[in-house]
Each structure stands twice: as structure tokens, then as C-alpha cells.
Coordinates of all heavy atoms in Angstrom, one line a residue:
M1 N 27.2 -101.5 -58.8 CA 26.4 -102.7 -58.4 C 25.4 -102.3 -57.3 O 25.8 -101.6 -56.4 CB 27.4 -103.7 -57.9 CG 26.8 -104.9 -57.3 SD 28.1 -106.1 -56.9 CE 27.3 -107.0 -55.8
R2 N 24.2 -102.7 -57.5 CA 23.1 -102.3 -56.6 C 22.4 -103.6 -56.1 O 22.0 -104.4 -56.9 CB 22.1 -101.4 -57.3 CG 21.0 -100.9 -56.5 CD 20.1 -100.0 -57.3 NE 19.2 -99.2 -56.6 CZ 18.0 -99.7 -56.2 NH1 17.6 -100.9 -56.6 NH2 17.2 -99.0 -55.5
V3 N 22.2 -103.7 -54.8 CA 21.6 -104.8 -54.2 C 20.5 -104.3 -53.2 O 20.8 -103.6 -52.3 CB 22.5 -105.7 -53.4 CG1 21.8 -106.9 -52.8 CG2 23.7 -106.2 -54.3
A4 N 19.2 -104.6 -53.5 CA 18.1 -104.2 -52.6 C 17.8 -105.3 -51.7 O 17.6 -106.5 -52.1 CB 16.9 -103.8 -53.4
L5 N 17.7 -105.0 -50.4 CA 17.3 -106.0 -49.4 C 16.0 -105.6 -48.7 O 16.0 -104.7 -47.9 CB 18.5 -106.1 -48.3 CG 19.9 -106.4 -48.9 CD1 20.9 -106.2 -47.8 CD2 19.9 -107.8 -49.4
P6 N 14.9 -106.3 -49.0 CA 13.7 -105.9 -48.4 C 13.6 -106.2 -46.9 O 14.3 -107.1 -46.5 CB 12.6 -106.7 -49.2 CG 13.4 -107.8 -49.9 CD 14.8 -107.4 -49.9
H7 N 12.8 -105.4 -46.2 CA 12.6 -105.6 -44.8 C 11.2 -105.1 -44.4 O 10.6 -104.4 -45.2 CB 13.7 -104.9 -44.0 CG 13.7 -103.5 -44.1 ND1 12.8 -102.7 -43.4 CD2 14.5 -102.6 -44.8 CE1 13.0 -101.4 -43.7 NE2 14.0 -101.3 -44.6
H8 N 10.8 -105.5 -43.2 CA 9.5 -105.0 -42.6 C 9.7 -104.3 -41.3 O 8.8 -104.3 -40.5 CB 8.6 -106.2 -42.5 CG 8.3 -106.9 -43.7 ND1 7.6 -106.4 -44.8 CD2 8.7 -108.2 -44.2 CE1 7.5 -107.2 -45.8 NE2 8.2 -108.3 -45.4
L9 N 10.9 -103.7 -41.1 CA 11.2 -103.2 -39.8 C 11.0 -101.7 -39.7 O 10.9 -101.1 -38.6 CB 12.7 -103.4 -39.5 CG 13.2 -104.9 -39.5 CD1 14.7 -104.9 -39.5 CD2 12.6 -105.6 -38.3
G10 N 10.8 -101.0 -40.8 CA 10.7 -99.5 -40.8 C 12.1 -98.9 -40.7 O 13.1 -99.5 -40.3
K11 N 12.2 -97.6 -41.2 CA 13.4 -96.9 -41.3 C 14.1 -96.8 -39.9 O 15.3 -97.0 -39.8 CB 13.2 -95.6 -41.9 CG 13.0 -95.5 -43.4 CD 12.7 -94.2 -43.9 CE 13.9 -93.4 -44.2 NZ 13.6 -92.1 -44.9
D12 N 13.4 -96.4 -38.9 CA 14.0 -96.1 -37.6 C 14.6 -97.3 -37.1 O 15.8 -97.2 -36.5 CB 12.9 -95.5 -36.6 CG 12.4 -94.2 -37.0 OD1 13.1 -93.4 -37.7 OD2 11.3 -93.8 -36.6
E13 N 14.0 -98.5 -37.1 CA 14.6 -99.7 -36.6 C 15.8 -100.2 -37.4 O 16.8 -100.6 -36.8 CB 13.5 -100.8 -36.5 CG 14.0 -102.1 -35.9 CD 14.5 -101.9 -34.4 OE1 14.2 -100.9 -33.8 OE2 15.2 -102.8 -34.0
V14 N 15.7 -100.1 -38.7 CA 16.8 -100.4 -39.5 C 18.0 -99.5 -39.2 O 19.2 -100.0 -39.0 CB 16.5 -100.4 -41.0 CG1 17.7 -100.5 -41.9 CG2 15.5 -101.5 -41.4
R15 N 17.8 -98.3 -39.1 CA 18.9 -97.3 -38.8 C 19.5 -97.7 -37.5 O 20.7 -97.7 -37.3 CB 18.3 -95.9 -38.8 CG 19.3 -94.8 -38.8 CD 18.7 -93.4 -38.7 NE 17.7 -93.2 -39.8 CZ 16.4 -93.0 -39.5 NH1 15.9 -93.0 -38.3 NH2 15.5 -92.8 -40.5
R16 N 18.6 -97.9 -36.5 CA 19.1 -98.3 -35.1 C 20.0 -99.5 -35.2 O 21.1 -99.6 -34.6 CB 18.0 -98.5 -34.2 CG 18.4 -98.7 -32.7 CD 17.3 -99.2 -31.8 NE 16.9 -100.6 -32.2 CZ 17.5 -101.7 -31.9 NH1 18.7 -101.6 -31.2 NH2 17.1 -102.9 -32.2
R17 N 19.5 -100.6 -35.8 CA 20.3 -101.8 -35.9 C 21.6 -101.6 -36.7 O 22.6 -102.2 -36.3 CB 19.4 -102.9 -36.6 CG 18.3 -103.3 -35.7 CD 17.5 -104.4 -36.3 NE 16.3 -104.7 -35.5 CZ 15.5 -105.8 -35.7 NH1 15.9 -106.7 -36.5 NH2 14.5 -105.9 -34.9
L18 N 21.6 -100.9 -37.8 CA 22.8 -100.7 -38.5 C 23.8 -99.9 -37.7 O 25.0 -100.2 -37.7 CB 22.5 -99.9 -39.8 CG 21.9 -100.8 -41.0 CD1 21.7 -99.9 -42.2 CD2 22.9 -101.9 -41.4
K19 N 23.4 -98.9 -37.0 CA 24.3 -98.1 -36.2 C 24.9 -98.9 -35.1 O 26.1 -98.8 -34.8 CB 23.6 -96.8 -35.6 CG 23.4 -95.8 -36.7 CD 22.7 -94.5 -36.2 CE 22.6 -93.5 -37.3 NZ 22.1 -92.2 -36.9
A20 N 24.1 -99.8 -34.5 CA 24.6 -100.7 -33.4 C 25.6 -101.7 -33.9 O 26.5 -102.1 -33.2 CB 23.4 -101.4 -32.8
R21 N 25.5 -102.1 -35.2 CA 26.3 -103.2 -35.8 C 27.3 -102.7 -36.8 O 27.9 -103.6 -37.5 CB 25.4 -104.2 -36.3 CG 24.6 -104.9 -35.2 CD 23.7 -105.9 -35.8 NE 22.9 -106.5 -34.7 CZ 21.6 -106.6 -34.7 NH1 20.9 -106.2 -35.7 NH2 20.9 -107.1 -33.6
T22 N 27.5 -101.4 -37.0 CA 28.4 -100.9 -38.0 C 29.8 -101.5 -37.8 O 30.5 -101.9 -38.8 CB 28.5 -99.4 -38.0 OG1 27.2 -98.9 -38.3 CG2 29.5 -98.9 -39.0
G23 N 30.2 -101.7 -36.6 CA 31.6 -102.2 -36.3 C 31.7 -103.7 -36.7 O 32.8 -104.2 -36.8
D24 N 30.6 -104.4 -36.9 CA 30.7 -105.8 -37.3 C 30.9 -106.0 -38.8 O 31.1 -107.1 -39.3 CB 29.4 -106.5 -36.9 CG 29.2 -106.5 -35.4 OD1 30.2 -106.3 -34.7 OD2 28.0 -106.7 -35.0
V25 N 30.8 -105.0 -39.6 CA 30.8 -105.1 -41.1 C 32.1 -105.8 -41.5 O 32.0 -106.7 -42.4 CB 30.7 -103.7 -41.8 CG1 30.9 -103.8 -43.3 CG2 29.3 -103.1 -41.5
A26 N 33.2 -105.5 -41.0 CA 34.5 -106.1 -41.4 C 34.5 -107.6 -41.2 O 35.0 -108.4 -42.0 CB 35.7 -105.5 -40.7
S27 N 33.8 -108.1 -40.2 CA 33.7 -109.5 -39.9 C 33.0 -110.3 -41.0 O 33.1 -111.5 -41.1 CB 33.1 -109.8 -38.5 OG 31.8 -109.5 -38.5
Y28 N 32.2 -109.6 -41.8 CA 31.4 -110.3 -42.8 C 32.2 -110.4 -44.2 O 31.7 -111.0 -45.1 CB 30.1 -109.6 -43.1 CG 29.1 -109.7 -41.9 CD1 28.8 -108.6 -41.1 CD2 28.6 -111.0 -41.5 CE1 27.9 -108.7 -40.1 CE2 27.7 -111.1 -40.5 CZ 27.4 -110.0 -39.7 OH 26.6 -110.1 -38.7
I29 N 33.3 -109.8 -44.2 CA 34.1 -109.8 -45.5 C 35.1 -111.0 -45.4 O 35.9 -111.1 -44.4 CB 34.9 -108.5 -45.6 CG1 33.8 -107.4 -45.7 CG2 35.8 -108.5 -46.9 CD1 34.4 -106.0 -45.7
P30 N 35.0 -111.9 -46.3 CA 35.9 -113.1 -46.3 C 37.3 -112.8 -46.2 O 37.8 -111.8 -46.8 CB 35.5 -113.8 -47.6 CG 34.2 -113.3 -48.1 CD 34.1 -111.9 -47.5
G31 N 38.0 -113.6 -45.5 CA 39.5 -113.5 -45.4 C 39.9 -112.8 -44.1 O 41.1 -113.0 -43.7
G32 N 39.0 -112.1 -43.5 CA 39.3 -111.5 -42.2 C 40.4 -110.4 -42.2 O 40.9 -110.0 -41.1
M33 N 40.7 -109.9 -43.4 CA 41.8 -109.0 -43.4 C 41.3 -107.6 -43.9 O 42.1 -106.8 -44.4 CB 42.9 -109.5 -44.4 CG 43.5 -110.8 -44.0 SD 44.4 -110.7 -42.4 CE 45.8 -109.7 -42.9
A34 N 40.0 -107.4 -43.9 CA 39.5 -106.1 -44.4 C 39.5 -105.0 -43.4 O 39.3 -105.2 -42.2 CB 38.1 -106.3 -44.9
Q35 N 39.8 -103.8 -43.9 CA 39.7 -102.6 -43.0 C 38.5 -101.8 -43.5 O 38.3 -101.6 -44.7 CB 40.9 -101.7 -43.1 CG 40.8 -100.5 -42.3 CD 42.0 -99.6 -42.4 OE1 43.1 -100.0 -42.8 NE2 41.8 -98.3 -42.2
V36 N 37.6 -101.5 -42.6 CA 36.3 -100.8 -43.0 C 36.3 -99.5 -42.3 O 36.4 -99.4 -41.1 CB 35.1 -101.7 -42.7 CG1 33.8 -100.9 -43.0 CG2 35.2 -103.0 -43.4
D37 N 36.1 -98.4 -43.1 CA 35.8 -97.1 -42.5 C 34.4 -96.8 -42.8 O 33.9 -96.9 -43.9 CB 36.7 -96.0 -43.2 CG 38.2 -96.3 -42.9 OD1 38.5 -96.5 -41.7 OD2 39.0 -96.3 -43.8
A38 N 33.6 -96.4 -41.7 CA 32.2 -96.1 -41.9 C 31.9 -94.8 -41.3 O 32.5 -94.3 -40.4 CB 31.4 -97.2 -41.1
S39 N 30.9 -94.1 -42.0 CA 30.4 -92.9 -41.5 C 28.9 -92.7 -42.0 O 28.5 -93.4 -42.9 CB 31.2 -91.7 -42.1 OG 31.1 -91.6 -43.5
W40 N 28.2 -91.8 -41.3 CA 26.8 -91.6 -41.6 C 26.7 -90.1 -42.1 O 26.6 -89.2 -41.3 CB 26.0 -91.8 -40.3 CG 25.8 -93.2 -40.0 CD1 26.6 -94.0 -39.2 CD2 24.7 -94.0 -40.4 NE1 26.1 -95.2 -39.1 CE2 24.9 -95.3 -39.8 CE3 23.5 -93.8 -41.1 CZ2 24.1 -96.4 -40.0 CZ3 22.7 -94.9 -41.3 CH2 23.0 -96.2 -40.8
P41 N 26.9 -89.9 -43.4 CA 26.8 -88.5 -43.9 C 25.4 -87.9 -43.7 O 25.3 -86.7 -43.7 CB 27.1 -88.7 -45.4 CG 27.0 -90.1 -45.7 CD 27.2 -90.9 -44.5
D42 N 24.4 -88.7 -43.6 CA 23.1 -88.2 -43.2 C 22.4 -89.4 -42.5 O 22.9 -90.5 -42.4 CB 22.2 -87.7 -44.4 CG 21.9 -88.7 -45.5 OD1 21.2 -89.7 -45.1 OD2 22.3 -88.6 -46.6
E43 N 21.2 -89.1 -41.9 CA 20.6 -90.1 -41.1 C 20.1 -91.4 -41.8 O 20.0 -92.4 -41.2 CB 19.4 -89.5 -40.3 CG 18.2 -89.2 -41.1 CD 17.0 -88.7 -40.3 OE1 17.2 -88.4 -39.1 OE2 16.0 -88.6 -40.9
D44 N 20.0 -91.4 -43.1 CA 19.6 -92.5 -43.9 C 20.6 -93.1 -44.8 O 20.3 -93.9 -45.6 CB 18.3 -92.2 -44.7 CG 17.1 -91.9 -43.8 OD1 17.0 -92.5 -42.7 OD2 16.3 -91.0 -44.2
T45 N 21.9 -92.7 -44.6 CA 22.9 -93.2 -45.5 C 24.2 -93.6 -44.7 O 24.7 -92.7 -44.0 CB 23.3 -92.1 -46.6 OG1 22.2 -91.7 -47.3 CG2 24.3 -92.7 -47.5
L46 N 24.6 -94.8 -44.8 CA 25.8 -95.3 -44.2 C 26.8 -95.4 -45.4 O 26.6 -96.1 -46.4 CB 25.6 -96.7 -43.6 CG 26.8 -97.5 -43.2 CD1 27.6 -96.7 -42.1 CD2 26.4 -98.9 -42.7
A47 N 27.9 -94.7 -45.3 CA 29.0 -94.7 -46.3 C 30.1 -95.6 -45.8 O 30.5 -95.6 -44.6 CB 29.5 -93.3 -46.5
L48 N 30.6 -96.5 -46.6 CA 31.6 -97.5 -46.3 C 32.8 -97.3 -47.2 O 32.6 -97.2 -48.5 CB 31.1 -98.9 -46.3 CG 29.9 -99.2 -45.4 CD1 29.3 -100.6 -45.8 CD2 30.4 -99.2 -44.0
G49 N 34.0 -97.4 -46.7 CA 35.2 -97.5 -47.5 C 35.9 -98.8 -47.0 O 36.2 -99.0 -45.9
I50 N 36.0 -99.8 -47.9 CA 36.5 -101.1 -47.6 C 37.8 -101.3 -48.3 O 37.9 -101.2 -49.6 CB 35.5 -102.2 -48.0 CG1 34.1 -101.9 -47.3 CG2 36.0 -103.6 -47.7 CD1 32.9 -102.6 -47.9
T51 N 38.8 -101.7 -47.6 CA 40.1 -102.0 -48.2 C 40.4 -103.5 -47.8 O 40.5 -103.8 -46.6 CB 41.2 -101.1 -47.7 OG1 40.9 -99.7 -47.9 CG2 42.6 -101.4 -48.4
A52 N 40.6 -104.3 -48.9 CA 40.9 -105.7 -48.7 C 41.7 -106.2 -49.9 O 41.5 -105.8 -51.0 CB 39.6 -106.5 -48.5
M53 N 42.7 -107.0 -49.6 CA 43.6 -107.6 -50.6 C 44.1 -106.6 -51.6 O 44.1 -106.8 -52.8 CB 42.8 -108.7 -51.4 CG 42.4 -109.8 -50.5 SD 41.5 -111.1 -51.4 CE 39.9 -110.3 -51.7
G54 N 44.5 -105.4 -51.1 CA 45.1 -104.4 -51.9 C 44.1 -103.6 -52.7 O 44.5 -102.8 -53.6
Q55 N 42.8 -103.8 -52.6 CA 41.8 -103.1 -53.3 C 40.9 -102.3 -52.4 O 40.6 -102.6 -51.3 CB 40.8 -104.2 -54.0 CG 41.5 -105.0 -55.0 CD 42.0 -104.3 -56.3 OE1 41.3 -103.4 -56.8 NE2 43.2 -104.6 -56.7
F56 N 40.5 -101.1 -53.0 CA 39.6 -100.2 -52.2 C 38.2 -100.3 -52.9 O 38.1 -100.2 -54.2 CB 40.0 -98.8 -52.2 CG 39.0 -97.9 -51.6 CD1 39.0 -97.8 -50.2 CD2 38.1 -97.2 -52.4 CE1 38.1 -96.9 -49.6 CE2 37.2 -96.4 -51.8 CZ 37.2 -96.2 -50.4
V57 N 37.2 -100.5 -52.1 CA 35.8 -100.5 -52.6 C 35.0 -99.5 -51.8 O 35.0 -99.6 -50.6 CB 35.2 -101.9 -52.5 CG1 33.8 -101.9 -53.0 CG2 36.0 -102.9 -53.4
G58 N 34.3 -98.6 -52.5 CA 33.4 -97.7 -51.8 C 32.0 -98.3 -51.9 O 31.6 -98.9 -52.9
A59 N 31.3 -98.0 -50.9 CA 29.9 -98.5 -50.8 C 29.0 -97.6 -50.0 O 29.6 -96.8 -49.2 CB 29.8 -99.9 -50.3
K60 N 27.7 -97.6 -50.3 CA 26.8 -96.8 -49.4 C 25.6 -97.7 -49.2 O 25.2 -98.5 -50.1 CB 26.5 -95.5 -50.0 CG 25.6 -95.4 -51.1 CD 25.2 -94.0 -51.5 CE 24.2 -94.0 -52.6 NZ 23.8 -92.6 -53.0
V61 N 25.0 -97.5 -48.1 CA 23.8 -98.2 -47.7 C 22.7 -97.2 -47.5 O 22.8 -96.3 -46.6 CB 23.9 -99.1 -46.4 CG1 22.7 -99.8 -46.1 CG2 25.1 -100.1 -46.6
A62 N 21.7 -97.2 -48.3 CA 20.5 -96.3 -48.1 C 19.4 -97.0 -47.4 O 19.0 -98.1 -47.8 CB 20.0 -95.8 -49.5
V63 N 19.0 -96.4 -46.3 CA 17.9 -96.9 -45.5 C 16.6 -96.4 -46.0 O 16.4 -95.1 -46.0 CB 18.1 -96.6 -44.0 CG1 17.0 -97.1 -43.1 CG2 19.5 -97.1 -43.5
E64 N 15.7 -97.2 -46.4 CA 14.4 -96.9 -46.9 C 13.4 -97.5 -46.0 O 13.7 -98.5 -45.3 CB 14.2 -97.2 -48.4 CG 15.2 -96.5 -49.2 CD 15.1 -96.9 -50.7 OE1 14.3 -97.7 -51.1 OE2 15.9 -96.4 -51.5
E65 N 12.1 -97.1 -46.1 CA 11.1 -97.7 -45.3 C 10.9 -99.2 -45.4 O 10.6 -99.9 -44.4 CB 9.7 -96.9 -45.6 CG 8.7 -97.2 -44.5 CD 9.0 -96.6 -43.2 OE1 9.7 -95.6 -43.0 OE2 8.7 -97.3 -42.2
T66 N 11.0 -99.7 -46.6 CA 10.7 -101.1 -46.8 C 11.9 -101.9 -47.4 O 11.8 -103.1 -47.7 CB 9.5 -101.4 -47.8 OG1 9.8 -100.8 -49.0 CG2 8.2 -100.8 -47.2
Q67 N 13.0 -101.2 -47.6 CA 14.2 -101.9 -48.1 C 15.5 -101.1 -47.7 O 15.4 -100.0 -47.4 CB 14.2 -102.1 -49.6 CG 14.2 -100.8 -50.4 CD 14.2 -101.1 -51.9 OE1 14.2 -102.2 -52.4 NE2 14.2 -100.0 -52.7
M68 N 16.5 -101.9 -47.7 CA 17.9 -101.3 -47.5 C 18.6 -101.5 -48.9 O 18.6 -102.6 -49.4 CB 18.6 -102.1 -46.4 CG 19.9 -101.6 -46.0 SD 20.5 -102.4 -44.5 CE 20.9 -104.1 -45.1
V69 N 19.1 -100.5 -49.4 CA 19.7 -100.5 -50.8 C 21.3 -100.4 -50.6 O 21.7 -99.3 -50.1 CB 19.2 -99.5 -51.7 CG1 19.9 -99.6 -53.1 CG2 17.7 -99.7 -51.9
V70 N 22.0 -101.4 -51.0 CA 23.5 -101.3 -50.9 C 24.0 -101.1 -52.3 O 23.7 -101.8 -53.3 CB 24.0 -102.7 -50.4 CG1 25.5 -102.6 -50.3 CG2 23.4 -103.0 -49.1
E71 N 24.7 -100.0 -52.5 CA 25.4 -99.6 -53.8 C 26.9 -99.7 -53.6 O 27.4 -99.1 -52.7 CB 25.0 -98.2 -54.2 CG 23.5 -98.1 -54.6 CD 23.2 -96.8 -55.2 OE1 24.0 -96.1 -55.7 OE2 22.0 -96.4 -55.1
I72 N 27.5 -100.5 -54.4 CA 28.9 -100.8 -54.3 C 29.6 -100.3 -55.6 O 29.2 -100.7 -56.7 CB 29.2 -102.3 -54.1 CG1 28.5 -102.8 -52.9 CG2 30.7 -102.6 -54.1 CD1 28.5 -104.3 -52.7
D73 N 30.7 -99.5 -55.4 CA 31.5 -99.1 -56.6 C 32.5 -100.2 -56.8 O 33.6 -100.1 -56.3 CB 32.2 -97.7 -56.3 CG 31.1 -96.6 -56.1 OD1 30.1 -96.7 -56.8 OD2 31.4 -95.7 -55.3
L74 N 32.2 -101.2 -57.6 CA 33.1 -102.3 -57.8 C 34.1 -102.0 -58.9 O 33.7 -101.7 -60.0 CB 32.2 -103.5 -58.2 CG 32.8 -104.9 -58.1 CD1 33.2 -105.2 -56.7 CD2 31.9 -105.9 -58.6
P75 N 35.4 -102.1 -58.5 CA 36.4 -101.8 -59.6 C 36.3 -102.9 -60.7 O 36.0 -104.0 -60.4 CB 37.7 -102.0 -58.8 CG 37.4 -101.9 -57.4 CD 36.0 -102.4 -57.2
P76 N 36.6 -102.5 -61.9 CA 36.6 -103.4 -63.0 C 37.3 -104.7 -62.8 O 36.9 -105.8 -63.2 CB 37.2 -102.7 -64.2 CG 37.0 -101.2 -63.8 CD 37.1 -101.2 -62.3
Q77 N 38.5 -104.7 -62.1 CA 39.3 -105.9 -61.9 C 38.6 -106.9 -60.9 O 39.0 -108.0 -60.8 CB 40.7 -105.5 -61.4 CG 40.8 -104.8 -60.1 CD 40.9 -103.3 -60.3 OE1 40.2 -102.7 -61.2 NE2 41.6 -102.6 -59.5
L78 N 37.5 -106.4 -60.2 CA 36.8 -107.4 -59.4 C 35.5 -107.8 -60.0 O 34.7 -108.5 -59.3 CB 36.6 -106.7 -58.0 CG 37.8 -106.4 -57.2 CD1 37.4 -105.8 -55.8 CD2 38.6 -107.7 -56.9
G79 N 35.2 -107.4 -61.2 CA 34.0 -107.7 -61.9 C 33.7 -109.2 -61.9 O 32.5 -109.6 -61.9
F80 N 34.7 -110.0 -62.0 CA 34.6 -111.5 -62.2 C 34.0 -112.1 -60.9 O 33.5 -113.2 -60.9 CB 35.9 -112.1 -62.5 CG 36.9 -112.2 -61.5 CD1 37.1 -113.3 -60.7 CD2 37.7 -111.1 -61.3 CE1 38.0 -113.3 -59.7 CE2 38.7 -111.1 -60.3 CZ 38.9 -112.2 -59.5
V81 N 34.0 -111.4 -59.8 CA 33.5 -111.9 -58.5 C 32.2 -111.2 -58.1 O 31.7 -111.3 -57.0 CB 34.5 -111.9 -57.3 CG1 35.7 -112.8 -57.6 CG2 35.0 -110.5 -57.1
R82 N 31.6 -110.5 -59.1 CA 30.4 -109.8 -58.8 C 29.3 -110.7 -58.2 O 28.6 -110.3 -57.2 CB 29.9 -109.2 -60.1 CG 28.6 -108.3 -59.9 CD 28.1 -107.8 -61.3 NE 26.9 -107.1 -61.1 CZ 26.8 -105.8 -61.2 NH1 27.9 -105.1 -61.5 NH2 25.7 -105.2 -61.1
G83 N 29.0 -111.8 -58.7 CA 28.0 -112.7 -58.2 C 28.3 -113.1 -56.8 O 27.4 -113.2 -55.9
V84 N 29.5 -113.4 -56.5 CA 29.9 -113.8 -55.1 C 29.7 -112.7 -54.2 O 29.2 -112.9 -53.0 CB 31.4 -114.3 -55.1 CG1 31.8 -114.6 -53.7 CG2 31.5 -115.6 -56.0
I85 N 30.1 -111.5 -54.6 CA 29.9 -110.3 -53.7 C 28.4 -110.0 -53.5 O 28.0 -109.8 -52.4 CB 30.6 -109.1 -54.3 CG1 32.1 -109.3 -54.3 CG2 30.2 -107.8 -53.6 CD1 32.9 -108.3 -55.0
E86 N 27.6 -110.1 -54.5 CA 26.2 -109.9 -54.4 C 25.6 -110.9 -53.4 O 24.8 -110.5 -52.5 CB 25.4 -110.0 -55.7 CG 24.0 -109.7 -55.6 CD 23.2 -109.7 -56.9 OE1 23.9 -109.6 -58.0 OE2 22.0 -109.7 -56.9
Q87 N 25.9 -112.1 -53.5 CA 25.4 -113.2 -52.6 C 25.8 -112.9 -51.2 O 25.1 -112.9 -50.2 CB 25.9 -114.5 -53.0 CG 25.4 -115.6 -52.1 CD 25.8 -117.0 -52.5 OE1 26.6 -117.2 -53.5 NE2 25.4 -118.0 -51.8
G88 N 27.1 -112.5 -51.0 CA 27.6 -112.1 -49.7 C 26.9 -110.9 -49.1 O 26.6 -110.9 -47.9
V89 N 26.6 -109.9 -49.9 CA 25.9 -108.7 -49.4 C 24.5 -109.1 -49.0 O 24.0 -108.7 -47.9 CB 25.8 -107.6 -50.6 CG1 24.8 -106.5 -50.2 CG2 27.2 -107.1 -50.8
R90 N 23.8 -110.0 -49.7 CA 22.5 -110.4 -49.3 C 22.5 -111.1 -48.0 O 21.7 -110.8 -47.1 CB 21.9 -111.3 -50.4 CG 21.5 -110.5 -51.7 CD 20.7 -111.4 -52.6 NE 20.5 -110.6 -53.9 CZ 19.6 -109.6 -54.0 NH1 18.8 -109.3 -53.0 NH2 19.4 -109.0 -55.1
Q91 N 23.4 -112.1 -47.8 CA 23.5 -112.8 -46.6 C 23.9 -112.0 -45.4 O 23.3 -112.0 -44.4 CB 24.5 -114.0 -46.8 CG 24.0 -115.1 -47.7 CD 25.0 -116.2 -48.0 OE1 26.2 -116.0 -47.7 NE2 24.5 -117.2 -48.6
S92 N 25.0 -111.2 -45.6 CA 25.5 -110.4 -44.5 C 24.5 -109.3 -44.2 O 24.4 -108.9 -43.0 CB 26.9 -109.8 -44.9 OG 27.8 -110.9 -45.1
G93 N 23.9 -108.7 -45.2 CA 23.0 -107.6 -44.9 C 21.8 -108.0 -44.1 O 21.4 -107.3 -43.1
M94 N 21.3 -109.2 -44.3 CA 20.2 -109.7 -43.5 C 20.7 -110.0 -42.1 O 19.9 -109.8 -41.2 CB 19.6 -110.9 -44.2 CG 19.0 -110.6 -45.6 SD 17.9 -109.1 -45.6 CE 16.6 -109.6 -44.6
K95 N 21.9 -110.5 -41.9 CA 22.4 -110.8 -40.6 C 22.6 -109.5 -39.8 O 22.3 -109.5 -38.6 CB 23.8 -111.5 -40.7 CG 23.7 -112.9 -41.1 CD 25.1 -113.5 -41.2 CE 25.0 -114.9 -41.8 NZ 26.4 -115.5 -41.9
L96 N 23.0 -108.4 -40.5 CA 23.1 -107.1 -39.8 C 21.8 -106.6 -39.3 O 21.7 -105.8 -38.3 CB 23.7 -106.1 -40.7 CG 25.2 -106.2 -40.9 CD1 25.7 -105.2 -42.0 CD2 26.0 -105.9 -39.6
L97 N 20.7 -107.0 -39.9 CA 19.4 -106.5 -39.5 C 18.7 -107.4 -38.4 O 17.7 -107.0 -37.9 CB 18.4 -106.4 -40.7 CG 18.8 -105.4 -41.8 CD1 17.8 -105.4 -42.9 CD2 18.9 -104.0 -41.1
K98 N 19.3 -108.5 -38.2 CA 18.7 -109.4 -37.1 C 19.0 -108.9 -35.7 O 19.8 -108.2 -35.5 CB 19.2 -110.8 -37.3 CG 18.6 -111.5 -38.5 CD 19.0 -112.9 -38.5 CE 18.4 -113.6 -39.7 NZ 18.6 -115.0 -39.8

């Protein structure tokens, strides 16, 4: 699943804001019971491992000059909530950039 979030901040500012707010990612996942492991394998990629409700979801956020691209490895058993997850990513992603 791929969600592109356009911005006008530039790569450096998006990277700065994401690094400052990486610890807030778990608070944007409904239910309040998620564990999020985050790392920066390179300066423009935030890798996330999210465990919630017994499910593991891997994701990465690519920082680009005019957009932030979130790619989520959604397990087949969560496919029925794809729309809800996409909407949540859009809302939460924009909050992380504010």
C-alpha cells in the first residue's frame, strides 16, 4: 500500500520534523496499544515496525522534495481495513509535518 502526502516544506524541513516527532507515531495508531520501532536506515528513509492487536506491519516513509511517500506492507488479513488505514495515514502524516 502506497500513500503519497504532498508538502511544500522541502526535504530538509520534512526530515527535521519527522525526526523530532518519530516518538509520536504510536499515538496516532487507534487503540493506544501499538508498539512502534523506528530507525533511519538513510537520511531520507524512516523505517517503521508496528505491532498492534497481535499483528506486525512494516512501513517506510520516503522523504522527497515535494512529497512524503508512506509504503505499508499490509498483511492480507488486514486488507479489509485498507481504506481506514489510508485515511489514518493521510491525517496523521499531515499532523506529523505541522
Side-chain angles (χ1 to χ4, degrees):
M1 175 175 157
R2 184 179 190 274
V3 181
L5 304 168
H7 65 78
H8 301 290
L9 301 170
K11 284 173 87 169
D12 291 338
E13 183 61 17
V14 169
R15 193 181 309 114
R16 185 193 70 74
R17 292 180 187 198
L18 284 178
K19 286 183 178 183
R21 296 181 179 126
T22 299
D24 298 340
V25 172
S27 68
Y28 292 114
I29 299 170
M33 301 295 289
Q35 178 180 339
V36 177
D37 295 313
S39 65
W40 287 85
D42 63 61
E43 70 176 9
D44 292 328
T45 306
L46 169 61
L48 300 168
I50 303 162
T51 305
M53 298 181 289
Q55 297 292 319
F56 176 82
V57 176
K60 73 175 184 176
V61 180
V63 178
E64 299 177 1
E65 195 62 40
T66 61
Q67 68 180 356
M68 180 172 74
V69 179
V70 181
E71 292 186 24
I72 302 169
D73 297 325
L74 197 61
Q77 61 267 35
L78 294 179
F80 71 97
V81 292
R82 181 185 179 106
V84 172
I85 293 172
E86 182 175 345
Q87 181 180 2
V89 167
R90 289 190 186 283
Q91 291 173 348
S92 300
M94 297 314 293
K95 287 179 186 177
L96 283 171
L97 293 180
K98 288 187 177 185

